[in-house]
Amino acid sequence: MSTTTPQPATIQTRRMSFEESLQQVPRHFGPDGDLLSSHIAACLSAVFPDREDFFVRSVRRFRGDITDPVLKRQVAGFIGQEAMHGREHRAFNRRLSQLGYPTRFLERITERGLALAEKVLPARTSLAVTAALEHYTATLAEQLLRDPDTRALFGDDRVRDLFLWHALEESEHKAVAFDVYRAVGGTERVRRLVMDAGTLGFLGGTLLAVVPSLAMDRAAYHPVRLARSVRRLLRSSILSRDLWRELRAYNQPGFHPSDRDATELLATWREELFGADGALNDRLAGGA
């Protein structure tokens, strides 16, 4: 039986600055210079900024319809956190572009695709898209926070730090878009249909981004190195059946993002990253 995570009345926006440290990230920053780990992380980062902007717009559009004061405060925190995620991933994307990754191209494609979606989709459907993709992001985020092998896939400590901060906050606000969708009358049928379409879009989009990115990398044409990288990915926890079941739980009747209890996990990582001796205190810009 699932335990519901109590949602905080206020979601904290932490002002971060990773740009200086990211200037030292090498071309292949995955573990032991791993190819696929590097390209997957780079392609995910490339789509984050415009995707986060889309999430903010889809939630903000309904801000005036929310009557619950607690949810109003949570929405404010959600917007603040997502805005910071976009800013810091843009900084990382600039470094990745210098290293030869096609982040600028992927950013343009993402921006145009989401702009088209906003034109053709009803506002409530855009909100359902946000809720579905937030579930994907939060599920992967909690996998990163709880599993050392998943954290190891990021290789370089500076890249891992960026994704750990992002993961912590994605889990903190994982229910906000869902709760807004429910509060403004979003239906279960549309929610589940959008998740099915979103699954295809997420997996297909990731594949379509990573394959060309690899094709532009000379190192990917070394068969032994590429085969070693594929083996590492196939054995990794991010392709596990347990993780897939967590992702697909969204389509169960009565699902809520807080059904997966992350209370202790979040408390551990808040202390680890931002406690008295937090590993990321020196990345805080002008206070939290």
Side-chain angles (χ1 to χ4, degrees), residues 123-142:
R124 198 173 292 163
T125 304
S126 290
L127 183 59
V129 171
T130 295
L133 292 179
E134 279 287 291
H135 171 68
Y136 256 87
T137 309
T139 301
L140 295 171
E142 289 173 12

Side-chain angles (χ1 to χ4, degrees), residues 5-8 10-16 18 48 51-52 77-78 80-82 84-85 89 134 136-147 150-151 154 159-176 260-275 278-281 283-284 288:
T5 306
Q7 292 299 289
T10 302
I11 294 171
Q12 182 180 12
T13 299
R14 303 173 182 89
R15 296 187 60 80
M16 308 296 293
F18 289 92
F48 280 154
R51 198 190 69 169
E52 308 286 59
F78 170 88
Q81 287 189 340
E82 294 288 52
M84 287 302 304
H85 298 169
H89 277 282
E134 279 287 291
Y136 256 87
T137 309
T139 301
L140 295 171
E142 289 173 12
Q143 173 73 12
L144 175 64
L145 294 175
R146 70 173 177 250
D147 180 44
T150 303
R151 294 196 293 277
F154 287 91
V159 177
R160 189 183 304 118
D161 285 347
L162 172 67
F163 278 87
L164 281 171
W165 159 69
H166 191 164
L168 171 66
E169 296 193 346
E170 287 296 333
S171 183
E172 287 178 335
H173 69 232
K174 67 182 179 180
V176 174
R260 187 177 62 240
D261 188 4
T263 307
E264 292 185 11
L265 183 67
L266 291 179
T268 296
W269 281 99
R270 286 189 194 108
E271 181 63 26
E272 175 73 21
L273 300 179
F274 299 107
L280 297 186
N281 284 338
R283 298 287 183 268
L284 286 166

Side-chain angles (χ1 to χ4, degrees), residues 183-255:
V184 299
T187 67
E188 284 287 287
R189 178 177 174 276
V190 170
R191 177 180 75 78
R192 293 160 74 176
L193 284 173
V194 164
M195 183 55 166
D196 288 336
T199 297
L200 293 175
F202 180 85
L203 297 177
T206 301
L207 184 64
L208 288 173
V210 171
V211 170
S213 183
L214 272 171
M216 296 168 61
D217 187 346
R218 289 184 179 180
Y221 293 89
H222 294 274
V224 174
R225 186 174 179 182
L226 182 60
R228 187 184 305 124
S229 184
V230 170
R231 248 190 335 267
R232 185 195 295 266
L233 178 66
L234 292 176
R235 293 172 180 171
S236 74
S237 51
I238 63 170
L239 296 181
S240 69
R241 290 182 180 179
D242 288 342
L243 182 60
W244 179 249
R245 278 193 291 269
E246 288 187 17
L247 290 168
R248 296 303 295 163
Y250 189 88
N251 273 9
Q252 295 175 0
F255 169 84

Side-chain angles (χ1 to χ4, degrees), residues 87-106:
R87 190 185 81 173
E88 293 307 305
H89 277 282
R90 280 191 174 91
F92 185 36
N93 292 345
R94 288 192 292 272
R95 174 58 181 162
L96 291 170
S97 180
Q98 293 171 353
L99 293 170
Y101 291 94
T103 50
R104 291 180 180 174
F105 172 74
L106 293 173

